[in-house]
Each structure stands twice: as structure tokens, then as C-alpha cells.
Amino acid sequence: MALSHSHTPVQADRPVTVLGLESSCDDSAAAIVRLHGDGRVDVLAERVINQNSAHAPFGGVVPEIAARSHAERMDHLAREVMEEAGLDFGALDAIAATAGPGLIGGVMAALMTAKGLAIGSGKPLIAVNHLEGHALSPRLVEPLAFPWLLLLVSGGHTQLLSVEGVGQMTRLGSTIDDAAGEAFDKSAKVLGLGFPGGPALEKLAGAATDPSRFALPRMLARDPSCNFSFAGLKTAVKRSFDGLHTPSDADRADLAAAAQAAIAAHLAQRTGRAMDIYAQDNPQGRVLVAAGGVAANTAVRKALVKEADARGFRTLFPPLKYCTDNAAMIALAGAERFRLGRTDALDVPARARWPLDTGAAIADPLLGSGRKGPKA
Ligand code: KG4
Ligand code: ZN
């Protein structure tokens, strides 16, 4: 176990500049952010390289391919953003990297690079939980005050988190099987669409003429928790598809629309429940933030906005580049931690599993990994 270092907290009005590195899944990314005393954030440089084309032939992320490609790129990406920002390492306050959760070979690439740069420059290292990066990502766009409710929906995560402060998050719900993005990707695969399937399925659904033709199950309809389940949906989509003799384009579009509607309804229903629970403890923070690739889906957005409006919640969808995996959110989480005097020792480990909310993870180990899905 690494010792946790701490520095004297930084004077609140002084800006903090941090380099952030991310490689926990299939995106290699580096960014530099400057966090001002009033909460404003400047992203001074940012780069993301995705590996979609490398993984597409396999219909999902292949850990060995991801790890090798991260290892080849991290160094270059770090140097590129430093050049783009016109900074030398002396101008940084700290170097942050995702230390988990994620594919361990990938996580190590960014963390080892950050350790090397921290040793070389004498700057402190900050090990960031990838989920905390997502949780704080709306602050890249506006100085949003704590608390808020976060729905994180991507190919790797499906979680509802009450975000009360830096390092203070409570998980209200999580998927018990597939991630929401996985539900889109698997349904898309049944319909003969390529990877990643979410955007392709949304496009096909747009051509539907009778979206209510296929009856798909309503997952966990009577379950009182805020958890999610998508495994049954994929099976039902497959069964409906196999029931068609020679599926026409119109059949496929109707089924795509039915699958999309079922996913959107489930996400919205569970999030509505979470808003009710969250609002009891946080009467002041009526803000719902939706992040992750699936939050790009228009039907999902509409369904969430409807539930939020009904409860007097404002909805905030960060721009897609900060919703999906990126390094600006890691640099920002690092800057927020640095400002509070929290840094890490150089022997801090990379972790495949690292739940944000350790209380909930101990109470319910099945859901505690912090990560579920094909990318888990
Ligand atoms: O956040 P993200 O880019 O990567 C991680 O999983 O970390 O999310 C990717 C997921 C994929 O499953 C993809 O199919 C899904 O988000 N996705 C969508 C849409 N765009 C991306 N799903 C539904 N509709 C979309 N427009
Ligand atoms: Zn992510």
C-alpha cells in the first residue's frame, strides 16, 4: 500500500496547473488544465487518440492491443501537449494520471509515464480515480457548485453517483450485469451493425416507422433500488430478430427503435428514482449531470430531461469530448486534489478495481468493482 502524501493546501486564489494522463480503456489521452481560484478552468492543451479501428475487427476492446498501443503513445502525447501549451515542466504544479479502475495493462502506461515525468521534474504525482475524473468533468465547463447527481453511462460504466465534493461521492446505483453502452453495442451486433454500435443503432432507429411493434421487457420494473440491468434486453432483441423470417430494412429499423426506447426508458426510470432519493438529502443541489458516450443519444437525453423537469432538476450534458474518456478530466481532478493538499507517493499502485464509494462496495461487493461491461 502506498503512503499518501500531503502538502499544505494551496492558497485558494492561486491558479493550479496540472498535466493529466489517461489510458485506462481504449483512449490514450493527455491534457493540461489550469484551475483558477474562482473555479474557472482553462484547458491549455488536449489530445485524445482512440483505438476504435484497432479493436473494430474483434467487435470489442482487446486488452493486449490496448496496452501496447497506450505504452507506445503516452510519452509522445505528454510531450505534444506540453509543446502545444508552450510550457516547460517547471510551470506545472503536479502531474496526474489515472491509476484505475480499468484494464490493468493500459492503466500502467499512463501511471508509469507520469511517475517517470514526476521523478524527472521533481513535481508531485497525483493518482486519480478514473470515475472521479468523470464525476468532476462538468467543472471543466462551468464552476458548478457541489453537490450534483451524476449518471455515468458508457461502454464501461453505468452508475448513479451523488457527488458531494472532491473524494466525497456516494453511489446510489450501478448495473448488475451489462453497461448501458454494451446494451447498445450488443443490440447493434444482433442487427448486423458494426462496432461501436450505439451511434449506428441510433441512426437506424431514426428510420423506424413502427417503433412500438416489438414488445421488449422492462428491466427491474418493480425493483426498489436504483440499480440497472440490461442483460435480458439483449436476449429479447435477439429473440425478436430471430423470429423474423427475412428481416427487411424496415423490420431492423423498428427493432432498433424498440431497443433504444427500452434502454432510454430504463435509464430514465432508474435515474428518476435516484433523483427522488438524492433530493431528500440535497434539497439545494437539484442538478443532474449525464456523462459517458451513451449520454450522446438523443432518445436517452429526452427521456432524462423529462424525468428531471418533472422534479425541478436542471440537466447538464457536458460536451461530448468531456463526456467520453479524456485527460482534461483527469488533469482537473488532479488540480482539485492538489489544491486540497492531496498528492501521492511514487509507489502508488495501478489498480484494475478501485470503487469510488468504498462504503457501498463493502456493503455490496457484487457491484463494487467500479467498472462493468465489455471494457471492464
Ligand atoms: O464513453 P465512451 O466513449 O467510452 C467508454 O465506454 O468509456 O462510451 C462508448 C459507448 C459505446 O458503447 C457506444 O456504443 C456508446 O457509448 N454510444 C452511444 C452513442 N454514442 C456512443 N450509444 C447510443 N447512442 C449514441 N449516439
Ligand atoms: Zn470512462
Side-chain angles (χ1 to χ4, degrees), residues 24 130 134 152 154 157 323-325 329 371:
S24 64
H130 179 84
H134 278 299
L152 177 56
S154 68
H157 331 281
C323 262
T324 58
D325 287 349
M329 70 183 190
R371 192 143 214 186

Side-chain angles (χ1 to χ4, degrees), residues 25-27 130 134 153-157 180-182 184-185 196-199 202 260 292-294 296-298 323-325 371 375:
C25 188
D26 58 344
D27 293 302
H130 179 84
H134 278 299
V153 272
S154 68
H157 331 281
E182 198 177 4
F184 270 106
D185 293 337
E202 177 170 24
Q260 176 174 270
V294 174
N297 184 280
T298 305
C323 262
T324 58
D325 287 349
R371 192 143 214 186
K375 302 183 174 185

Side-chain angles (χ1 to χ4, degrees), residues 121-216:
S121 63
K123 297 292 177 180
L125 173 74
I126 301 173
V128 173
N129 183 309
H130 179 84
L131 298 169
E132 176 160 282
H134 278 299
L136 299 177
S137 66
R139 304 241 287 196
L140 286 167
V141 190
E142 62 171 76
L144 184 64
F146 294 111
W148 59 85
L149 178 67
L150 175 83
L151 170 67
L152 177 56
V153 272
S154 68
H157 331 281
T158 304
Q159 310 212 342
L160 281 157
L161 290 170
S162 162
V163 183
E164 292 126 27
V166 178
Q168 284 174 270
M169 322 212 168
T170 310
R171 200 185 56 212
L172 299 177
S174 178
T175 182
I176 59 169
D177 42 54
D178 293 350
E182 198 177 4
F184 270 106
D185 293 337
K186 286 181 172 176
S187 302
K189 202 169 175 183
V190 170
L191 292 163
L193 303 168
F195 174 85
L201 188 140
E202 177 170 24
K203 192 158 172 250
L204 181 60
T209 49
D210 186 3
S212 53
R213 204 176 117 201
F214 295 96
L216 296 174

Side-chain angles (χ1 to χ4, degrees), residues 1-24:
M1 212 30 170
L3 296 170
S4 203
H5 278 200
S6 48
H7 282 225
T8 316
V10 173
Q11 230 184 328
D13 54 359
R14 132 152 141 66
V16 171
T17 308
V18 173
L19 165 67
L21 304 178
E22 156 65 38
S23 61
S24 64

Side-chain angles (χ1 to χ4, degrees), residues 250-262:
D251 292 334
R252 291 169 61 247
D254 287 346
L255 187 52
Q260 176 174 270

Side-chain angles (χ1 to χ4, degrees), residues 42-122:
D42 296 322
V43 179
L44 303 181
E46 56 188 322
R47 291 272 163 103
V48 184
I49 304 177
N50 81 43
Q51 306 175 351
N52 279 348
S53 58
H55 300 291
F58 306 97
V61 177
V62 183
E64 290 75 14
I65 295 178
R68 187 171 329 140
S69 129
H70 287 309
E72 283 164 4
R73 284 165 170 170
M74 265 355 280
D75 247 14
H76 301 290
L77 278 173
R79 262 161 242 291
E80 278 169 29
V81 291
M82 292 299 288
E83 269 172 39
E84 192 183 318
L87 296 178
D88 56 38
F89 282 89
L92 297 177
D93 289 293
I95 296 165
T98 298
L103 300 168
I104 193 72
V107 174
M108 284 171 68
L111 187 58
M112 297 299 277
T113 305
K115 286 181 180 181
L117 294 173
I119 292 168
S121 63

